[in-house]
Amino acid sequence: MCGIVGILGKEAVATQVVEALRRLEYRGYDSAGVATLEHGLLTRRRAEGKLKNLEIRLSSEPLEGLIGIGHTRWATHGKPNETNAHPHATAKLAVVHNGIIENFRELRAELQADGYVFETETDTEIVAHLVTRALDRGLTPVDAVAASLPRLRGAFALAFLFEGQEDLLIGSADRRPEGLPAGRRHR
Ligand code: GLU
C-alpha cells in the first residue's frame, strides 16, 4: 500500500513531505513524488525507485512551496516509472491516490470524449481530469471534488492541491478496503 501525505506549512514543505513519506516506507513502494504551489503555480518532482532518488531530484531542482502533497506508489495500473508516479496533475490541480478506481476505463473514455488528454497508464489520472472538468464547468474546488467522488467506484484515499489555492488541501477516503480484488491486495 502506498503512502499519502499533505502538509500546509509556514516554510518550504518539500523536505517535510519526504520525511513524512520516509515514515511510511515500511508499507512498500516503487516510486515517489511531491507537488507544491510556488507563487500559486503547481510544480512537482517525481522519481522511480527509492525516496533517495526523489531527494536527489529535489536537491538539484528544489521546490519552495509552503503547501504540498506527497506519495509513495505501489503500482496497480501502469508500470512503475516516473510518468506513472504520483502526484498526477492537470493545469488546475494535483492529486495523490492510494487504492484502485475500478471504473476508470469508462470514466477515461467519457473524459477523452470531452477532450481531456491522458498522459499516464494509471487509474488515478481519471480523478485528476474528472475534478478538472468540474472546475472547468465553474465549480469551486470543494464542490468539484464533492461532485466527482460519487462517480468513483473502488477503494481509495485521495489528497488534492489546487492551482492558486495556497490555503487549501482536500483529502477524501472511501470506507471499503474490502472492495480491493483479492489477487492484488494493498498491504
Ligand atoms: N492505483 C494507483 C496506481 O497504480 C495507486 C496505487 C497506490 O495505491 O499506490 O497508480
Side-chain angles (χ1 to χ4, degrees):
M1 193 195 292
C2 75
I4 287 184
V5 176
I7 299 179
L8 181 46
K10 290 194 163 60
E11 13 187 274
V13 293
T15 307
Q16 284 175 278
V17 168
V18 172
E19 199 43 51
L21 291 174
R22 195 177 303 291
R23 294 186 204 169
L24 299 170
E25 270 192 303
Y26 69 92
R27 292 152 69 102
Y29 64 100
D30 51 56
S31 54
V34 53
T36 63
L37 291 180
E38 296 186 313
H39 308 292
L41 300 177
L42 281 165
T43 50
R44 41 174 191 158
R45 307 282 181 262
R46 298 174 295 162
E48 190 176 332
K50 292 292 169 195
L51 276 174
K52 190 77 208 158
N53 298 341
L54 179 60
E55 287 182 304
I56 291 167
R57 180 69 53 85
L58 283 165
S59 63
S60 60
E61 299 171 73
L63 292 176
E64 306 297 338
L66 309 186
I67 181 171
I69 55 175
H71 188 264
T72 43
R73 180 179 185 230
W74 180 278
T76 65
H77 295 73
K79 292 182 230 24
N81 58 27
E82 184 174 330
T83 302
N84 290 332
H86 304 213
H88 294 296
T90 66
K92 296 193 170 173
L93 62 84
V95 61
V96 288
H97 164 222
N98 171 16
I100 294 170
I101 309 297
E102 289 166 3
N103 57 335
F104 78 96
R105 282 189 188 81
E106 64 201 62
L107 289 172
R108 185 171 58 195
E110 177 185 315
L111 289 157
Q112 284 173 327
D114 269 359
Y116 293 86
V117 177
F118 285 70
E119 295 173 357
T120 81
E121 301 163 330
T122 66
D123 51 337
T124 305
E125 195 182 357
I126 66 101
V127 181
H129 291 295
L130 191 63
V131 177
T132 296
R133 185 175 66 175
L135 293 169
D136 289 342
R137 290 174 172 174
L139 297 190
T140 64
V142 170
D143 289 344
V145 172
S148 300
L149 291 178
R151 300 290 317 274
L152 305 178
R153 284 207 317 271
F156 52 87
L158 300 160
F160 297 90
L161 187 62
F162 295 87
E163 183 124 324
Q165 303 281 336
E166 306 266 6
D167 292 321
L168 181 66
L169 281 177
I170 297 180
S172 163
D174 79 309
R175 297 192 198 178
R176 294 183 298 139
E178 69 278 8
L180 289 168
R184 190 67 172 88
R185 288 198 77 81
H186 270 42
R187 292 184 295 161

